[in-house]
Amino acid sequence: MAYSEKLLDHYEHPRNVGSMDKDAAEVGTGMVGAPACGDVMKLQIKVGKDGVIEDAKFKTYGCGSAIASSSLVTEWVKGKTVDQALEIKNTQIAEELALPPVKIHCSILAEDAIKAAVADYKSKHGAVVETLACGENCKE
Amino acid sequence: MDYSATTPVDPRVASMMIPYLTEKFGNPASRSHAFGWEADAAVELAREQVAALVNADPKEIVWTSGATESNNLAIKGAAHFYQGKGKHIITMRIEHKAVLDTVRELEREGFSATYLDPEPNGLLDMGKFKAALRPDTVLVSIMLVNNEIGVIQDIAAIGEVCRDKGILFHVDAAQATGKVAIDLQQLKVDMMSFSAHKTYGPKGIGALYVRRKPRVRLEAQMHGGGHERGMRSGTLPTHQIVGMGEAFRIAQAEMAQENERIRMLRDRLLNGLMTMEEVHINGDMEQRVPHNLNISFNFVEGESLMMAVKDVAVSSGSACTSASLEPSYVLRALGRSDELAHSSIRFSIGRFTTIEEVDYVIELMKNKIGKLRELSPLWEMYKDGIDLNSVKWAAH
């Protein structure tokens, strides 16, 4: 299977790898996927007082496409407000990385990770927590 | 390090084959001239060489296109021929797809089948095997050496039980030739499948052993000129057959020495990799060919690891590599968790593997696994002392 240059670049040089304090008020953490499915993504965002995402970090257990998808979204969410971040769609991720059809689920997982991180951040600031459904992420 | 997928043709084998493509091009079935006689003599010499490796009579060797065809011919051929005696077949869940899918096809035709689970070490429990036998069991098919985990089944014991009950016994030995000694005078095996390209011979040629005493009969799958005593019609590919014969001759001559060298390399690889944490071996280490090492590197996903070591040919039990997202059915059958099955890599060592390559792979694996674990949220949680089984995953 041939992967795109961009995908390989993100896989070989992943951006923004790391962890932030999940208990900090300005940090939102999203963990999606499951080990049994072969994919787990942890995405963390650090949000400034103006609602703009200042920093993002990820860790991913999964195939090269999953690693590249999560690396890409850390770049994309930075500088966006949390609501703008929610507008990132899996199809944009899949297109940017030229994911092959069998790897589309990786981009869906990355979109879910953004939603989960934003939901966690919002819950810390009194908003209603939105629960994520599993559905398409896992064949289990 | 993917010799279990296929092997290169040994240069000695290739040089034996070439004349049969050019000047010695006769059809072994041509009885009326010297070109045919020459080709026929070469085919019969190869038949003797293949028979010699497994201590069989050359008349018991039938040429096929490979182990997949041999498995089809043995299982469908025997099941169809003997269906009057019963229509129940026993096999194992960790067999190659060429066996499993053939048995499934017979199920569609009205046969019934039992797929036995192995023990956690990959071996068949004889008690469970005996308990699965039925009065209408007509055929048992169990592989000698497993292609994914390299474990060796107790074919001698299974054969005794089958012969005692008058049940036909087929063995897929595609991964076994040149790795374990096979003596068909001793083993109570009725049919055995072989492949050339797993033993430094060419692709596209294999053989089926069909016992003469007591005689085993098969319904042909390929109809035509009545070649191979009517069991497999089709003009014999002389050059391929010569290649398989030479490959099996070399295997017989060099097996003991080669296995010793490969075992040394395997131990070196294993010791090197085991210096890392959370490394799990899949399959029994005693009843196993030294050529195979199947290891799960916990908290690292197999496909990403294969991408990281892309200049080394290995294969992964995480079937993200194929179109499906299911992890290896063989590792699942051992009772390995999906996590560990997704994290597995098969190394297979062969005739041309060197110490330098093994050392290179050890260093590369350590380096890349270290990097991928730094990327892995599961590794982070494990290091923080969180029991991953206690986590409620979103997808569950």
Side-chain angles (χ1 to χ4, degrees), chain A residues 11 21 24 29 32-33 37-38 41 48-49 51 56 65 68 75 78 85 112 122 124-125 129 132 137-138:
Chain A
Y11 169 72
D21 179 9
T29 302
V32 295
C37 312
M41 280 182 195
K49 291 200 172 57
S65 303
E75 285 194 329
K78 276 202 238 181
D112 287 348
K122 286 187 171 175
K124 285 178 176 174
H125 295 83
V129 183
L132 277 172
N137 298 338
C138 185

Side-chain angles (χ1 to χ4, degrees), chain B residues 49-66:
Chain B
Q49 289 167 326
V50 169
L53 179 65
V54 293
N55 199 19
D57 187 309
K59 293 193 188 76
E60 296 174 311
I61 301 298
V62 174
W63 301 115
T64 67
S65 62

Side-chain angles (χ1 to χ4, degrees), chain A residues 6-90:
Chain A
K6 277 182 187 163
L7 188 151
L8 289 172
D9 184 47
H10 274 280
Y11 169 72
E12 279 160 18
H13 311 284
R15 333 287 202 255
N16 305 309
V17 176
S19 293
M20 296 188 274
D21 179 9
K22 65 179 169 44
D23 298 321
E26 69 276 19
V27 173
T29 302
M31 177 101 83
V32 295
C37 312
D39 287 306
V40 177
M41 280 182 195
K42 187 184 80 166
L43 176 70
Q44 293 186 302
I45 50 172
K46 186 179 174 190
V47 185
K49 291 200 172 57
D50 52 358
V52 173
I53 298 170
E54 290 174 351
D55 199 8
K57 296 277 184 210
F58 86 98
K59 285 204 175 189
T60 290
Y61 163 87
C63 62
S65 303
I67 291 171
S69 298
S70 35
S71 170
L72 177 68
V73 297
T74 59
E75 285 194 329
W76 279 3
V77 297
K78 276 202 238 181
K80 287 191 167 67
T81 66
V82 288
D83 290 324
Q84 286 169 339
L86 288 176
E87 285 165 17
I88 296 173
K89 292 284 168 264
N90 81 283

Side-chain angles (χ1 to χ4, degrees), chain B residues 261-301:
Chain B
R261 196 183 75 87
I262 286 173
R263 185 175 297 279
M264 180 273 290
L265 292 174
R266 193 277 310 270
D267 289 344
R268 191 179 179 95
L269 178 62
L270 179 64
N271 292 335
L273 296 174
M274 292 300 281
T275 58
M276 286 180 283
E277 281 178 84
E278 283 294 311
V279 173
H280 304 270
I281 301 170
N282 298 309
D284 195 81
M285 274 308 281
E286 296 302 318
Q287 293 300 314
R288 183 193 201 107
V289 293
H291 308 65
N292 169 294
L293 201 53
N294 188 309
I295 295 190
S296 292
F297 300 97
N298 209 358
F299 315 119
V300 174
E301 196 272 339

Side-chain angles (χ1 to χ4, degrees), chain B residues 290-341:
Chain B
H291 308 65
N292 169 294
L293 201 53
N294 188 309
I295 295 190
S296 292
F297 300 97
N298 209 358
F299 315 119
V300 174
E301 196 272 339
E303 193 190 338
S304 63
L305 185 54
M306 288 214 307
M307 243 174 110
V309 299
K310 58 183 181 305
D311 52 338
V312 179
V314 290
S315 79
S316 170
S318 180
C320 290
T321 39
S322 64
S324 107
L325 299 170
E326 294 294 314
S328 152
Y329 68 93
V330 171
L331 298 183
R332 291 281 296 273
L334 303 191
R336 277 295 194 211
S337 66
D338 286 357
E339 292 91 310
L340 283 176

Side-chain angles (χ1 to χ4, degrees), chain A residues 79-105:
Chain A
K80 287 191 167 67
T81 66
V82 288
D83 290 324
Q84 286 169 339
L86 288 176
E87 285 165 17
I88 296 173
K89 292 284 168 264
N90 81 283
T91 46
Q92 297 167 294
I93 301 166
E95 194 183 339
E96 176 73 10
L97 297 174
L99 293 180
V102 298
K103 297 298 182 187
I104 295 300
H105 71 280

